[in-house]
Amino acid sequence: MKKLLALVLALTMVLSLAACGSKPATETPEGSKPAEGGAAPANFKVAIITGTVSQGEEEFRAAEQMKAAYPEMVVTATYPDNFAKEQETTISNVLNLVSDESVKALVFLQAVPGASAAIAKAKELKPDLLVIAGVTGEDPAVISPAADMVLNADELGMGKSIMEQAKALGAKTFVHYSFPRHMSVALLSGRRDLLKKTAEELGIQFVEATAPDPLGDSGVPGAQQFILEDVPKMIEKYGKETAFFATNCAMQEPLIKTILAGGAIFPQQCCPSPYHGYPGALGIAIPDDKAGDVDFILQETTKKITEKGNPGRMSTWTVPINMLFVKAGVEYAKQYLEGTITEKADMEAMKKICSDLAGGPVTMTKLTENGVDYNNFFTLLGSYYTYGEAK
């Protein structure tokens, strides 16, 4: 069981990536600004590879922001939307990035299936290349030896915290939406099992619901339409004290819309962040002078949810974790290449960078799998912000 709990860490977020379409602000979130570094050194560059806007807008925008912050230091590229079937393209794109002899570090987020193969090819070209992989889609035993550092949300912690938050928000029933492709992965089904176990311990009824796969015949529109139609049925069947969770990013906006309309409970998104799902679902426009202002987006979201009569029943993490990992990866690489940080996988140094970017302390731990310590695999757990409650 211990192995299974630890393994849940690796895939949950990235496999929810398929057809991810969150809508973050397009500027650096307050409390998540790049460190003041002046002009970038001329002797190195840091490369970032992310998904496209349609697959992972948060990390894509974070890469843009780091490019704007360090225009002479940062170079960027994306991997294909259908990354599962186009791993050779991912490898090619990575090699194109690192073929620039001035590139000394690579930040890979989300580290989709095939990332380890791409990293291996990059390391063949540049053995000393610093590689930081975030939100990984491969098992720890695969990605950890390939990358110098791996960053992931603490899915083990979330296995309890999501359900505990649902309980705190008044849930009596918990509906878990996923699909066979996700649940065929032991890591994702393992987290599902943890959620179910915690639900039983807390006296919450656990309901496993199967949704269409966004990579299937009906695509993203079909998966989203299913959520729009099925959530009201679930609320009618189980009541408003029902909490919902879905493993896919593209499902978050319709999920938030229908939960709010039905007065149900939403503890967090698959990728917890103030920018994931909520602005798009609630029609929140972010003016230029408020772009990247986390307090603004939290207040506006709270206002919308309160106006709709559902305060205190929907929440998220205060830290946009995918954006945080991109920015932290770049800042770590910069400090390492400048000589401020002397180790390729210094957890305390990374924790400090994450805390500084997040504007407050974060919890960071090393992954242990079945008695095996992964000294370069660090997991992060954020805190909840409940809309309609004071901070």
Side-chain angles (χ1 to χ4, degrees), residues 239-365:
K240 293 184 177 182
E241 275 59 59
T242 301
F244 293 86
F245 178 80
T247 65
N248 175 257
C249 290
M251 295 177 180
Q252 303 309 304
E253 285 193 17
L255 194 61
I256 290 168
K257 287 180 182 179
T258 50
I259 288 170
L260 181 58
I265 294 169
F266 188 55
Q268 73 168 65
Q269 314 94 314
C270 56
C271 305
S273 162
Y275 298 114
H276 189 25
Y278 278 108
L282 302 180
I284 297 174
I286 303 175
D288 291 342
D289 65 334
K290 294 296 184 181
D293 188 333
V294 172
D295 286 338
F296 171 80
I297 196 64
L298 289 172
Q299 291 167 9
E300 288 299 299
T301 304
T302 297
K303 180 180 177 181
K304 293 281 189 179
I305 290 173
T306 300
E307 288 174 351
K308 295 292 185 179
N310 207 37
R313 293 166 68 81
M314 305 179 77
S315 56
T316 188
W317 282 11
T318 58
V319 178
I321 194 165
N322 288 18
M323 299 180 83
L324 175 66
F325 284 162
V326 170
K327 294 171 184 177
V330 171
E331 294 295 341
Y332 188 99
K334 177 176 180 291
Q335 293 183 36
Y336 174 80
L337 294 170
E338 290 174 338
T340 305
I341 296 172
T342 59
E343 298 177 16
K344 287 189 172 182
D346 184 334
M347 189 180 76
E348 290 305 315
M350 177 54 80
K351 180 179 178 181
K352 183 181 185 304
I353 290 171
C354 286
S355 296
D356 290 344
L357 290 171
V362 299
T363 300
M364 186 168 283
T365 57

Side-chain angles (χ1 to χ4, degrees), residues 51-70:
T52 64
V53 170
S54 65
Q55 285 284 29
E57 187 168 353
E58 288 198 11
E59 52 265 31
F60 180 87
R61 297 303 182 194
E64 284 188 329
Q65 291 160 15
M66 297 312 286
K67 174 66 175 176
Y70 301 118

